[in-house]
Amino acid sequence: MKLLRISAAVLLAACLAAGCEKGGETRTSTEGSAEETGTTVKDEPVTEPAGVTVDPSVTFQTWDGFGAMNLGTDWTKNTDWTGSDAKALLRDMGLNLMRIRIPYDESRWEALAQACSEIYNEYAPGILATPWSMPASMKTPEQTQARKDGVTSSLRPECYGDYAAYLERFAAYMKAHGAPLAAISVQNEPDYAAEYDGCLWSAAQHLDFVKNYGHLVKSAPLATAESFSSRQEFYDYVLEDDTACGNIAIVAGHLYGTVPKAYPAAAEKGKRLWMTEHLLNDSWSDGTDHWDETLSMAAEMLGCMECGWNAYFWWYGCRYYSLVGDGTEGTARGQILPRGYAYSQFSRYIQPGDVRVRSSVDGTESLLATAFEGNGALKVVLLNTGSTLKEVTLDSGKETGSVSGTYSSSSAKSAGLTFSSKSPRSIIFTLPARSVATVTVR
């Protein structure tokens, strides 16, 4: 499928219009060259001044974590996580969440549970389990695809109870086999008629299931179905019904064809807001700059944070165009790719339980920032989308002790920032063009 491509600048403008401060992008499935080095931009001799102000006294959401998809034994394409992949993603990059697909064939659960338990025993990630399709016998017509030969499929109403029992059975099975779930969702992309495994749900059908059968899923917290474009009107039905709302813990959705948007209704109802899938890989088919696309990913991550979301999942953890190499197109298994280094500017530093605090940027439109506080440290992530250096003056809003920082760019995997000045509250440093960085103040 091919969706609208959104540049980092257009993406930012769209998020501002949506009421957030930073923003998002799109998905395709393509093959091509694996070298995600991008085009190195020569730094211009002039620098642009910019100010970042943090106010730790104003707090927002608590962060749950960063994750990616592990297709395990259910699909091919080298997307299952080997030991070196799990080490790179969950230890070296700092991810703490892992998404898996629930096989509709229960005979395949054993192999998946074994693979997940090995990872869980070593790294204990929070596991989100997502069904693409329930067994075809529960659907009308009896097909696992969301759309086949122009005919779409849905869950038969008389099978709602059977489907809830199926989800509970999977959650209990994983728990019993050493891979307990942090959450299990109702459906992957209920509003996208894909020609692969899937199932279509209307907002009213989703409400009916969650309200009347959601309580039967007891072995893991229940998440909503994961809307293709995080359509808030799809979730409103559930949040506005007290019984249905009480049966879910997480509002989950994707960001295809849209940008992050604030959804205060979820927070008001005490629900976590998780972005559970997005992928950008058009640049491998259309010949555009891979690093531009990576900057768009970083802008989207910032957008989710500034809009009040609690977690962010990338699509494949392992793929030659993703975070870690898959052994194809010149990449090695367990090799952190440039996109992975950019992702880790967030995931290595912002930890579960950290709380977002107020931040603002002055003096330029090509610098974005978000700030979190936790474990006695302030962590500020900055994204320079411009083609010039930025001389950044950071007012941390607190007494400054030790300061450290790293950045990633098209020519630097993870390099140290140089701080030219430090006062009790103010820090001055230079941020390279087209880079993403994290500054930690203790």
Side-chain angles (χ1 to χ4, degrees):
M1 100 194 96
K2 189 79 171 179
L3 299 175
L4 175 67
R5 298 199 62 219
I6 309 172
S7 72
V10 172
L11 174 144
L12 171 60
C15 281
L16 286 169
C20 299
E21 297 178 9
K22 289 95 184 174
E25 251 264 20
T26 59
R27 168 173 79 180
T28 64
S29 181
T30 58
E31 303 292 321
S33 170
E35 190 65 25
E36 190 184 354
T37 56
T39 303
T40 301
V41 174
K42 184 177 180 180
D43 292 333
E44 298 180 15
V46 296
T47 60
E48 183 181 14
V52 177
T53 302
V54 176
D55 184 353
S57 69
V58 181
T59 60
F60 301 96
Q61 80 274 21
T62 301
W63 191 247
D64 292 336
F66 298 93
M69 184 75 189
N70 177 8
L71 281 173
T73 58
D74 199 39
W75 282 354
T76 54
K77 281 192 170 182
N78 304 311
T79 56
D80 58 310
W81 295 8
T82 64
S84 62
D85 302 329
K87 173 181 173 295
L89 289 159
L90 298 171
R91 192 188 76 176
D92 300 341
M93 287 181 56
L95 277 67
N96 66 298
L97 298 171
M98 179 176 76
R99 183 170 177 243
I100 61 172
R101 165 181 157 126
I102 303 174
Y104 53 77
D105 181 354
E106 295 189 30
S107 69
R108 300 167 74 176
W109 289 6
E110 181 179 1
L112 177 61
Q114 180 178 347
C116 289
S117 66
E118 291 174 359
I119 292 173
Y120 188 84
N121 287 338
E122 183 73 21
Y123 303 104
I127 301 172
L128 167 65
T130 301
W132 263 243
S133 176
M134 60 289 296
S137 60
M138 296 183 188
K139 302 172 72 177
T140 179
E142 292 190 2
Q143 63 190 43
T144 59
Q145 298 93 336
R147 183 177 79 246
K148 181 180 180 182
D149 299 327
V151 179
T152 59
S153 66
S154 61
L155 178 64
R156 301 204 314 269
E158 63 269 25
C159 291
Y160 281 14
D162 293 336
Y163 183 51
Y166 165 87
L167 294 177
E168 165 59 20
R169 196 158 57 248
F170 180 80
Y173 186 92
M174 294 296 284
K175 184 176 182 179
H177 288 78
L181 303 181
I184 186 169
S185 77
V186 173
Q187 174 67 50
N188 179 70
E189 298 180 353
D191 46 1
Y192 184 74
E195 293 183 343
Y196 46 78
D197 292 343
C199 181
L200 296 186
W201 298 66
S202 69
Q205 289 169 330
H206 182 245
L207 169 63
D208 185 4
F209 177 81
V210 172
K211 177 177 181 176
N212 296 306
Y213 302 92
H215 67 283
L216 299 175
V217 182
K218 302 177 184 297
S219 295
L222 185 65
T224 64
E226 303 166 48
S227 168
F228 180 76
S229 299
S230 291
R231 291 170 46 230
Q232 294 180 5
E233 62 271 22
F234 187 86
Y235 309 121
D236 286 344
Y237 283 68
V238 170
L239 294 178
E240 292 168 1
D241 184 284
D242 290 343
T243 301
C245 188
N247 287 337
I248 63 160
I250 297 165
V251 174
H254 303 171
L255 287 178
Y256 295 112
T258 189
V259 296
K261 299 179 180 69
Y263 192 23
E268 289 167 3
K269 296 288 187 175
K271 307 306 173 185
R272 316 303 288 169
L273 189 58
W274 284 14
M275 201 300 289
T276 52
E277 185 189 314
H278 201 195
L279 168 67
L280 308 176
N281 66 342
D282 280 344
S283 65
W284 273 266
S285 62
D286 62 18
T288 54
D289 185 9
H290 300 329
W291 188 250
D292 276 349
E293 204 169 60
T294 295
L295 293 179
S296 292
M297 176 196 73
E300 178 179 272
M301 295 172 78
L302 275 161
C304 284
M305 292 170 157
E306 289 295 294
C307 286
W309 295 58
N310 304 100
Y312 186 96
F313 290 74
W314 193 241
W315 176 227
Y316 292 133
C318 302
R319 198 72 176 116
Y320 65 83
Y321 49 70
S322 195
L323 307 179
V324 170
D326 63 356
T328 69
E329 301 293 334
T331 66
R333 297 302 307 234
Q335 173 194 3
I336 301 176
L337 302 177
R339 186 160 295 183
Y341 281 106
Y343 193 98
S344 65
Q345 289 294 339
F346 297 83
S347 57
R348 283 178 58 199
Y349 301 101
I350 300 174
Q351 299 298 305
D354 285 359
V355 175
R356 185 169 70 89
V357 298
R358 177 179 287 171
S359 62
S360 60
V361 177
D362 298 308
T364 178
E365 295 183 353
S366 57
L367 180 67
L368 316 179
T370 191
F372 282 75
E373 196 167 41
N375 293 323
L378 174 70
K379 304 97 177 268
V380 185
V381 181
L382 305 107
L383 174 61
N384 182 0
T385 65
S387 58
T388 60
L389 296 164
K390 298 287 189 296
E391 185 177 60
V392 181
T393 300
L394 170 62
D395 181 346
S396 65
K398 60 184 290 184
E399 197 71 21
T400 300
S402 65
V403 180
S404 60
T406 62
Y407 74 91
S408 299
S409 68
S410 62
S411 57
K413 295 177 180 179
S414 183
L417 288 171
T418 300
F419 299 91
S420 58
S421 176
K422 187 181 79 168
S423 66
R425 283 175 47 131
S426 183
I427 307 155
I428 300 176
F429 58 93
T430 299
L431 185 61
R434 301 174 74 239
S435 67
V436 54
T438 305
V439 173
T440 301
V441 181
R442 297 186 182 277

